[in-house]
Amino acid sequence: TVLFPCGTYLLTSQITVLNKTNLRLVGPTGGRGATSANQCVTLQYTLNSDSIFHFDGVAGLEIGWISLTYSSATFPASSSFLRLDKVAGAAVTGQVYLHDMTIQGTNTSSRAALLVFLDQTNDVTIERVIFANAKVAVNGPNGPPSGVINVRIRDSRFENSISDYPIKVAGWGWVIE
């Protein structure tokens, strides 16, 4: 468990996690909800390439009560911001819980193509998350949809600053409430 005290943390390189279990990245619990009043922790990605987090083969991942932002005015429109998938030799990423958070670019940043990219991932719950300043909020695989199963998205908000699609290429067993 990584418990971030209140504050803004500038991240200057990508964080990749490969084949780990039971990982929690959380801020102080401020109650339920994705409002900024419940998020006193901001992880701000300052580079203009790659994903802020890349989780491959992670089982039991929780990210909550934080705000993930990117601030680059030149963040590539072809990049994903938070990537959950499987690379060669890794297990499928699964049992993911993203909750009570904001995932967005700042007002002055360019719009990333994808805020959350899911491929070879299963059992994902996304709830009470605000998505803003991107082309696509949540994107499934571009190939066969069987690579991403059992995804639940509920009680989340997709701001008008999502320019293309809130959810694109959903897979088998996706439930949007």
Side-chain angles (χ1 to χ4, degrees):
T1 299
V2 178
L3 173 59
F4 293 93
C6 290
T8 299
Y9 300 87
L10 301 179
L11 303 176
T12 59
S13 66
Q14 180 185 58
I15 297 172
T16 300
V17 180
L18 180 64
N19 288 337
K20 300 296 180 192
T21 59
N22 301 323
L23 176 61
R24 297 181 69 226
L25 303 172
V26 295
T29 59
R32 292 176 50 129
T35 65
S36 59
N38 292 329
Q39 299 164 7
C40 66
V41 174
T42 298
L43 303 181
Q44 186 170 355
Y45 190 55
T46 60
L47 284 185
N48 61 358
S49 63
D50 297 320
S51 306
I52 182 173
F53 289 115
H54 192 167
F55 295 103
D56 287 318
V58 176
L61 170 66
E62 177 187 0
I63 303 175
W65 299 294
I66 60 176
S67 177
L68 297 178
T69 65
Y70 62 91
S71 60
S72 173
T74 59
F75 195 85
S78 61
S79 292
S80 57
F81 188 53
L82 176 60
R83 187 176 181 92
L84 306 168
D85 65 4
K86 171 188 181 272
V87 295
V92 172
T93 295
Q95 302 168 14
V96 176
Y97 185 36
L98 306 177
H99 65 95
D100 302 293
M101 60 189 298
T102 303
I103 304 173
Q104 67 181 356
T106 61
N107 290 338
T108 59
S109 62
S110 67
R111 291 190 170 153
L114 314 169
L115 289 178
V116 177
F117 177 72
L118 305 172
D119 193 10
Q120 300 299 312
T121 305
N122 59 43
D123 296 319
V124 176
T125 299
I126 299 171
E127 61 184 357
R128 297 180 305 275
V129 175
I130 297 171
F131 297 97
N133 296 332
K135 290 184 177 181
V136 177
V138 180
N139 198 105
N142 294 322
S146 61
V148 181
I149 56 174
N150 298 331
V151 174
R152 294 159 301 283
I153 302 173
R154 60 179 164 248
D155 299 327
S156 293
R157 190 167 77 211
F158 301 90
E159 297 286 336
N160 288 336
S161 58
I162 302 295
S163 63
D164 290 356
Y165 306 98
I167 299 168
K168 184 177 178 185
V169 193
W172 295 105
W174 283 45
V175 177
I176 316 302
E177 303 178 276

